[in-house]
Amino acid sequence: MLWESGEVRQDFVVPAGKEARDAEFVAFVEASGPVLRRVAMLLAGDLHRGEELLQATLERTYRSWSRARDGDPLVYARRILANLRIDTWRRTRRELLLTADEMPERGNGDETHHVALRDELTRALLLLPVKQRRVVVLRHLLDLSEAEVAEELGLPRGTVKSAGSRGLATLREALQHPAESEGRTHER
C-alpha cells in the first residue's frame, strides 16, 4: 500500500487464478475435512494433536495445491498427514492417551458407549507398529483397496497384505483381552 495525499491506495492486483485456486481448496476442505480429521485423530490418538496434525496437513496441502489438484487431492493430503505423523513419532517417541472423561462430547444424547469403543480401538491401534497401524487405518477404517494403500504408502502390495494381516491379528487379540495389553504401546 502506498500513502498518497493522506489516502490509502492498494497498489497490487490479486490474480484471477488465486481466487479460483482458493475456491477449489475451500471446496476440497469442506468435502474431505471430516475424513482427514478422523484419520488424524486415529493416527495421533489424541484430539488436540489430531487437530494440530490436520491443520499442518491442510497448510502444506494448500502450499502445494497446484501439485495436489493435478492428481487426487485427498490421496495427496493423506500422504502428507501420514508423513507428518511419522515425523512426530520420530521426534517425540511418546504417546499420551485420553482418559474417558477427556474424550470430546458430541451433544447428541448419551454417546458413552461410542466414546468407550473409540477409546478402546485407539488404544488397540497404539499397540501396532507404525507400518501396520498405517496399513490398518487406510485399508480398513478408510476402506481403501490394497492397491490404493500400497500406492499411497509406497509399499509393495504383498507388504500391505502381510502388515494388514498381522495388524488385524494383534487388534483382535488386544480387543479380546484388553487387560493383557494394557500399558503397552508401539512407538516404531
Side-chain angles (χ1 to χ4, degrees), residues 50-61:
E51 290 290 338
E52 290 173 5
L53 190 60
L54 177 61
Q55 288 300 316
T57 299
L58 293 176
E59 184 262 333
R60 286 191 183 184
T61 303

Side-chain angles (χ1 to χ4, degrees), residues 38-58:
R38 188 175 79 203
V39 172
M41 279 284 301
L42 290 170
L43 289 176
D46 177 281
L47 174 66
H48 300 292
R49 285 193 294 172
E51 290 290 338
E52 290 173 5
L53 190 60
L54 177 61
Q55 288 300 316
T57 299
L58 293 176

Side-chain angles (χ1 to χ4, degrees), residues 13-23:
V13 176
V14 176
K18 183 173 182 345
E19 291 174 356
R21 174 187 175 191
D22 289 351

Side-chain angles (χ1 to χ4, degrees), residues 103-122:
M103 293 298 287
E105 293 187 28
R106 294 182 188 240
N108 295 342
D110 187 18
E111 302 244 349
T112 307
H113 179 69
H114 295 291
V115 171
L117 286 175
R118 185 172 55 233
D119 183 56
E120 186 178 4
L121 178 60
T122 301

Side-chain angles (χ1 to χ4, degrees), residues 10-165:
Q10 287 190 343
D11 205 44
F12 61 92
V13 176
V14 176
K18 183 173 182 345
E19 291 174 356
R21 174 187 175 191
D22 289 351
E24 280 180 356
F25 184 75
V26 167
F28 164 74
V29 171
E30 288 173 351
S32 303
V35 171
L36 290 171
R37 183 177 190 269
R38 188 175 79 203
V39 172
M41 279 284 301
L42 290 170
L43 289 176
D46 177 281
L47 174 66
H48 300 292
R49 285 193 294 172
E51 290 290 338
E52 290 173 5
L53 190 60
L54 177 61
Q55 288 300 316
T57 299
L58 293 176
E59 184 262 333
R60 286 191 183 184
T61 303
Y62 177 77
R63 280 192 291 157
S64 56
W65 184 243
S66 59
R67 279 182 289 173
R69 70 178 174 191
D70 285 344
D72 184 350
L74 181 58
V75 170
Y76 192 90
R78 276 197 314 250
R79 178 169 274 175
I80 289 173
L81 182 66
N83 289 338
L84 283 172
R85 184 59 184 138
I86 289 170
D87 292 345
T88 304
W89 283 321
R90 287 180 183 146
R91 276 191 309 258
T92 60
R93 300 279 188 205
R94 186 159 187 225
E95 297 289 333
L96 299 174
L97 298 176
L98 296 178
T99 61
D101 59 324
E102 292 174 321
M103 293 298 287
E105 293 187 28
R106 294 182 188 240
N108 295 342
D110 187 18
E111 302 244 349
T112 307
H113 179 69
H114 295 291
V115 171
L117 286 175
R118 185 172 55 233
D119 183 56
E120 186 178 4
L121 178 60
T122 301
R123 288 175 188 268
L125 282 169
L126 290 173
L127 297 174
L128 302 178
V130 174
K131 187 188 300 182
Q132 288 179 12
R133 188 181 323 173
R134 290 171 64 197
V135 168
V136 168
V137 168
L138 293 174
R139 177 80 175 98
H140 298 285
L141 297 176
L142 294 181
D143 206 24
L144 298 180
S145 70
E146 289 170 348
E148 291 171 322
V149 173
E151 182 180 334
E152 193 162 322
L153 297 179
L155 298 172
R157 195 167 176 188
T159 302
V160 169
K161 286 181 177 184
S162 63
S165 176

